[in-house]
C-alpha cells in the first residue's frame, strides 16, 4: 500500500512539472518533456550535445528542458578542458551559451527558460571560480540569453504581440577575445524565400543568407554593455 502511495506521489510530482494547467495544454499543447526522455533523445545526438560550439535551436522550447540539458553537457566539456584557466573557461563557456537558441509562444516560458539557463551557467561558473567570478562575464551571458531565447510564434515567425519578425543573432568567436554578431530574420532562414526582399545596412538588396544587421567585433566581456 505504502509503495503504491509513494509511486503515485512521484507520478503526481512528475505531472506537476510537465503540465502547468489544463488550459495551457488545450491552448498551446504545453506538456513538458521529462528529464529521462530529454536525456534519451539528446543521447541520439550525443556527440553534438558535447561539442561546445554546436548550434541548437528549439522552436517550441517551453521552459527549457532540452536547452538546459544541452547547456549542462556543453559546460561539462568546458569544465573538463579549460578549468585550469579562468580566461579560457569563460571564453568557451560564452561560446557554449551563444550557440543555444529557443523560441516559445508564451512569454513566461521564454522568460523562465532564460532564467533557468542563466542559473545553470552561474552555478557552474561559481563552482569553478568562486569569488573570482567577473560581473562582466555574467552580464555577457545574461545578454546572450536575452538575444537567443525569444518570445515568438515559430509558425508565423513573429512576436505574438508586436507582430515584428523574429530576428536571431549569429555569434562567432574571432581569434582571442572577440565576438562577431550578425542578425538574421528567422522566417527567411527557415523558408529560404523572399530572396531579394531584404535590404542590408547599405540599402542594397540582400540575399537570404545575408544578415539584416552586421555588428563590429566586440570583446566577449563587453556584450550587452550598452543594453538598457
Ligand atoms: C509540448 S510543449 C514542449 C515544451 C518543451 N520543448 C519540452 O519538451 O519540455 C510545447 C511548447 O510549444 C509552445 N508552442 C506552442 N505553439 C507554439 C508556436 N506556434 N510557436 C512557438 N512555441 C509554441 C508551447 O507554449 C509549449 O511550451
Amino acid at each position: 500500500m505504502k509503495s503504491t502511495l509513494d509511486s503515485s506521489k512521484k507520478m503526481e510530482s512528475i505531472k506537476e512539472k510537465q503540465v502547468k494547467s489544463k488550459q495551457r495544454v488545450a491552448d498551446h499543447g504545453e506538456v513538458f518533456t521529462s528529464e529521462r526522455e530529454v536525456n534519451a533523445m539528446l543521447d541520439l545526438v550525443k556527440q553534438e550535445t558535447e561539442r561546445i560550439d554546436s548550434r541548437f535551436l528549439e522552436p517550441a522550447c517551453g521552459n527549457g528542458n532540452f536547452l538546459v540539458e544541452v547547456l549542462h553537457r556543453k559546460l561539462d566539456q568546458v569544465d573538463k578542458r579549460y578549468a585550469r584557466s579562468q580566461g579560457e573557461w569563460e571564453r568557451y563557456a560564452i561560446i557554449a551559451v551563444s550557440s543555444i537558441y529557443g523560441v516559445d509562444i508564451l512569454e513566461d516560458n521564454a522568460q523562465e527558460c532564460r532564467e533557468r539557463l542563466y542559473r545553470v551557467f552561474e552555478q557552474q561558473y561559481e563552482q569553478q571560480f568562486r569569488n573570482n567570478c567577473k560581473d562582466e562575464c555574467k552580464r555577457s551571458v545574461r545578454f546572450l540569453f536575452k538575444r537567443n531565447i525569444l518570445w515568438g510564434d515559430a509558425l508565423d515567425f513573429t512576436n505574438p504581440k508586436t507582430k515584428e519578425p523574429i530576428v536571431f543573432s549569429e555569434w562567432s568567436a574571432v581569434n582571442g577575445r572577440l565576438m562577431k554578431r550578425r542578425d538574421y530574420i528567422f522566417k527567411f532562414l527557415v523558408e529560404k524565400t523572399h530572396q531579394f526582399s531584404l535590404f542590408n545596412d547599405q540599402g542594397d538588396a540582400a540575399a537570404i543568407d545575408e544578415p539584416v544587421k552586421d555588428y563590429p567585433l566586440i570583446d566577449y566581456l563587453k556584450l550587452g554593455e550598452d543594453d538598457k
Side-chain angles (χ1 to χ4, degrees), residues 47-95:
Q47 224 178 329
E48 284 303 298
T49 62
E50 292 175 348
R51 190 158 65 81
I52 292 168
D53 61 349
S54 62
R55 290 199 174 98
F56 278 79
L57 162 65
E58 213 199 332
C61 64
N63 61 5
N65 287 352
F66 280 90
L67 298 180
V68 159
E69 183 52 33
V70 170
L71 182 61
H72 268 303
R73 291 178 181 212
K74 283 167 169 257
L75 290 181
D76 284 348
Q77 293 302 314
V78 177
D79 278 352
K80 269 191 203 155
R81 297 183 210 177
Y82 303 108
R84 266 179 285 165
S85 152
Q86 183 167 348
E88 291 279 279
W89 192 98
E90 287 165 350
R91 176 160 181 257
Y92 284 96
I94 290 217
I95 292 172

Side-chain angles (χ1 to χ4, degrees), residues 118-135:
Y118 177 74
R119 280 199 303 273
V120 168
F121 164 81
E122 189 177 57
Q123 218 173 9
Q124 214 138 330
Y125 187 34
E126 288 179 353
Q127 206 170 313
Q128 284 295 341
F129 303 107
R130 301 184 190 279
N131 298 332
N132 293 326
C133 291
K134 300 186 183 101
D135 288 343

Side-chain angles (χ1 to χ4, degrees), residues 17-18 24 27-34 38 41 58-67 103-110 116 150-158 160 166:
K17 276 189 212 150
Q18 291 188 256
R24 289 168 70 109
D27 292 347
H28 300 288
E30 186 194 62
V31 179
F32 298 126
T33 309
S34 73
V38 165
M41 287 167 78
E58 213 199 332
C61 64
N63 61 5
N65 287 352
F66 280 90
L67 298 180
V103 181
D104 201 278
I105 199 165
L106 295 175
E107 190 178 16
D108 63 337
N109 279 348
R116 285 180 73 197
L150 301 178
W151 172 32
D153 183 335
L155 294 179
D156 74 3
F157 309 103
T158 66
I166 297 172

Side-chain angles (χ1 to χ4, degrees), residues 198-206 212:
L198 289 178
F199 290 87
N200 63 20
D201 286 351
Q202 287 75 44
D204 304 323
V212 277

